[in-house]
Amino acid sequence: MIETRPLSRRRFLGTASTIGVAGLLGTATTATALPSHSTRVLPINWSRLGSYPASDPAGSRISAVLAGSARYLIGPWYAATYTRYLPDGYIDLKGTDERAVRLPAMAAVAAATALATGTYDARTLSAANATVRTRNVIRTLSARHGANNADPTTSWGGGWQTALWAYYTALAGWLLWDALDAACRQHLAAMLVWEADRLTTGDGVHLIGRSGEQLYMTRRDGTVVTPGDSKAEEDSWSAAALSLAAVMMPHHRNAGRWKRRNVELLLAAAARPADLGDRRRINGIRLSTWLRGTNIADDGTLQNHNRLHPLYMVSFDQSLYQGFVFGLANRAAPRAALHNIRQTYAALVSKQFPLPDGTTTAIYRAGSPEIYYPEGNDWGTHFPFYFANFDLLVSLTGQDRGIHPPAAEWERLHSDAQLALMSRFTDGRTYGANGENTYYGREHRIGVMAGQSFLTLFLARNSRGNRLRWS
């Protein structure tokens, strides 16, 4: 694919961007009106956030993972995947499924974070050309969403996982807002509003509407609706889209509904049996009267893929990312995002499981980055950064109180193991043999986690003070 003329390098480390959009256009676009006031997006005010040099040990590790992953995804992976523009000026996504939409959206988050925070590694592709490529992904994904595209052969949206894809795309666009033209900005806003509004149609049992997808694995009366398949992950990624919509468009007429539904989904995601009798109110919701079921056990474990699955226990990272989403707008995130995180983390570090030799072990093995999977792992063998990412978030949000060793020690072990995997390659990738991680978006998962981890660090250790706040 022929690249357009490059831009000067951009670094958002406490100074406002002065980059225009003319040099970023992959092809000519048709001018459109700016969004109405109700969908007006409030850009990130980088000048108010200060800077974060990532010179502390955790910052050095996470920034290294992000820099390598972003370099690979927007470099070799992009070049091999997107080889032509279609007649309408957008890159060819080659489909509308998870592989075609989620993967580039995750890559865009990694690249946009690295570019926006000045951590991008330009040794093989300039920051200017990386910005062009990232923008191409953002503008294509948002234009192809059903809110902006009536062609059923190229349209995506309205599916089980599409709120997550919209969240990734919109987050990447928000991070590079100054580099986007009016049409792309309008498409992003329309896409996110459409997905967020869809999520507000559900109730205390159903995710969307009054039937179909459930909020809980187990109902209040003990009925197991989806055996071996916790709804925690789906609830938390759906909440992510709602949180981002509310933060990006606080003046939208539906912003209040998005905020309320966000809290509901956060609480449902981490609901455990003890919560069903708990009369506490969290962000205005009384647990004992609103919750209609549970997704995790009282000990903090959960089931997915018909097993007790540590990889899905750390999927609560999506809830904890709300700290940086709200922090980028200098707002406090809902306390509901922290609900039962400590219990789940304690289950990783402290809960003992029997071994065949009569001894016991925790999921986290003492002094080692090795992970014990009590009922096996159907995704592969190497996932250190999935856990390092969660360790970091737990540490930065103080959800490891009373747990020993603390989360910061586990982050070091798991991040070092991740960096060891990356050291095997020169292009920034993590994985070799498919058996290490069988997910086809395995490199993209590393990138999107690294991007969001780094943004959390950026807010927590900012030169102008910790911006991770919880209401």
Side-chain angles (χ1 to χ4, degrees):
M1 179 184 290
I2 297 174
E3 309 258 349
T4 59
R5 65 184 178 87
L7 291 173
S8 58
R9 176 159 180 164
R10 62 203 301 265
R11 290 175 63 94
F12 290 121
L13 293 178
T15 58
S17 170
T18 59
I19 294 176
V21 299
L24 286 169
L25 302 181
T27 59
T29 59
T30 301
T32 59
L34 288 170
S36 65
H37 177 75
S38 64
T39 58
R40 180 170 56 89
V41 171
L42 294 186
I44 300 168
N45 188 339
W46 294 98
S47 64
R48 291 179 59 188
L49 289 175
S51 61
Y52 169 60
S55 56
D56 57 289
S60 178
R61 289 187 290 267
I62 302 302
S63 63
V65 176
L66 173 60
S69 184
R71 179 164 59 88
Y72 170 74
L73 292 170
I74 210 63
W77 179 80
Y78 179 103
T81 305
Y82 304 116
T83 57
R84 69 186 183 115
Y85 291 104
L86 294 176
D88 61 2
Y90 295 107
I91 58 177
D92 184 3
L93 295 175
K94 305 175 184 178
T96 61
D97 60 1
E98 180 179 0
R99 191 186 295 264
V101 179
R102 180 179 176 177
L103 271 57
M106 290 192 287
V109 171
T113 302
L115 289 162
T117 59
T119 57
Y120 177 72
D121 181 350
R123 77 178 77 173
T124 54
L125 180 73
S126 70
N129 279 328
T131 304
V132 170
R133 290 182 174 187
T134 306
R135 182 187 177 280
N136 277 340
V137 171
I138 295 167
R139 63 187 291 270
T140 300
L141 289 173
S142 58
R144 293 293 187 240
H145 188 272
N148 307 303
N149 175 26
D151 183 352
T153 66
T154 60
S155 178
W156 66 274
W160 166 67
Q161 203 183 85
T162 58
L164 178 64
W165 308 349
Y167 163 80
Y168 288 148
T169 305
L171 174 59
W174 197 36
L175 292 169
L176 293 185
W177 197 252
D178 286 352
L180 307 180
D181 64 7
C184 184
R185 292 178 178 183
Q186 185 171 3
H187 287 158
L188 282 169
M191 171 196 70
L192 191 57
V193 167
W194 193 92
E195 292 285 351
D197 280 349
R198 189 170 67 100
L199 291 165
T200 64
T201 64
D203 58 18
V205 174
H206 301 101
L207 180 64
I208 294 167
R210 299 296 182 265
S211 64
E213 298 167 52
Q214 306 284 304
L215 289 186
Y216 309 103
M217 184 179 84
T218 305
R219 293 278 178 84
R220 176 181 281 272
D221 64 5
T223 302
V224 181
V225 182
T226 56
D229 183 20
S230 170
K231 302 290 100 181
E233 185 187 28
E234 292 97 316
D235 291 349
S236 60
W237 79 41
S238 297
L242 290 159
S243 70
L244 186 60
V247 169
M248 287 179 63
M249 292 169 280
H251 303 301
H252 192 279
R253 63 182 180 275
N254 291 336
R257 295 171 61 196
W258 299 338
K259 289 189 291 184
R260 166 74 184 199
R261 191 60 172 166
N262 177 41
V263 171
E264 292 176 349
L265 294 185
L266 288 170
L267 295 176
R272 59 189 185 126
D275 293 333
L276 300 178
D278 192 332
R279 293 184 56 78
R280 283 183 302 157
R281 287 185 180 272
I282 299 178
N283 295 117
I285 294 178
R286 190 182 298 278
L287 299 179
S288 61
T289 56
W290 190 83
L291 292 174
R292 295 290 182 270
T294 62
N295 278 308
I296 68 175
D298 277 330
D299 64 7
T301 60
L302 61 75
Q303 292 188 333
N304 218 313
H305 291 208
N306 294 305
R307 68 194 70 205
L308 188 157
H309 214 315
L311 283 180
Y312 289 90
M313 292 169 66
V314 299
S315 70
F316 285 117
D317 60 350
Q318 195 68 73
S319 297
L320 295 180
Y321 292 144
Q322 293 208 8
F324 85 74
V325 169
F326 281 85
L328 286 172
N330 198 29
R331 294 171 57 185
R335 170 66 179 77
L338 304 179
H339 186 56
N340 287 335
I341 296 297
R342 184 187 177 281
Q343 284 77 7
T344 293
Y345 198 68
L348 291 170
V349 174
S350 304
K351 182 176 173 59
Q352 296 296 306
F353 296 89
L355 293 172
D357 64 2
T359 61
T360 61
T361 183
I363 293 171
Y364 280 13
R365 311 299 290 266
S368 168
E370 182 183 355
I371 300 297
Y372 176 65
Y373 297 90
E375 298 176 14
N377 179 11
D378 55 339
W379 281 112
T381 58
H382 290 65
F383 298 86
F385 196 66
Y386 288 56
F387 296 95
N389 166 61
F390 194 56
D391 298 331
L392 178 72
L393 298 170
V394 167
S395 178
L396 293 176
T397 56
Q399 297 306 295
D400 59 343
R401 62 189 182 282
I403 298 174
H404 300 286
E409 290 190 25
W410 293 111
E411 180 276 317
R412 175 182 59 80
L413 286 168
H414 295 142
S415 289
D416 283 346
Q418 165 65 24
L419 292 169
L421 290 179
M422 297 179 79
S423 70
R424 302 176 298 171
F425 310 99
T426 60
D427 59 4
R429 75 180 71 190
T430 295
Y431 291 107
N434 285 339
E436 293 179 351
N437 183 338
T438 62
Y439 178 45
Y440 46 71
R442 56 191 186 166
E443 297 293 347
H444 310 73
R445 281 284 288 135
I446 298 299
V448 77
M449 287 189 294
Q452 293 173 104
S453 287
F454 190 81
L455 287 169
T456 307
L457 272 170
F458 181 90
L459 271 296
R461 297 178 178 171
N462 198 269
S463 62
R464 298 198 175 183
N466 186 354
R467 300 300 179 93
L468 296 183
R469 304 194 306 276
W470 310 90
S471 61

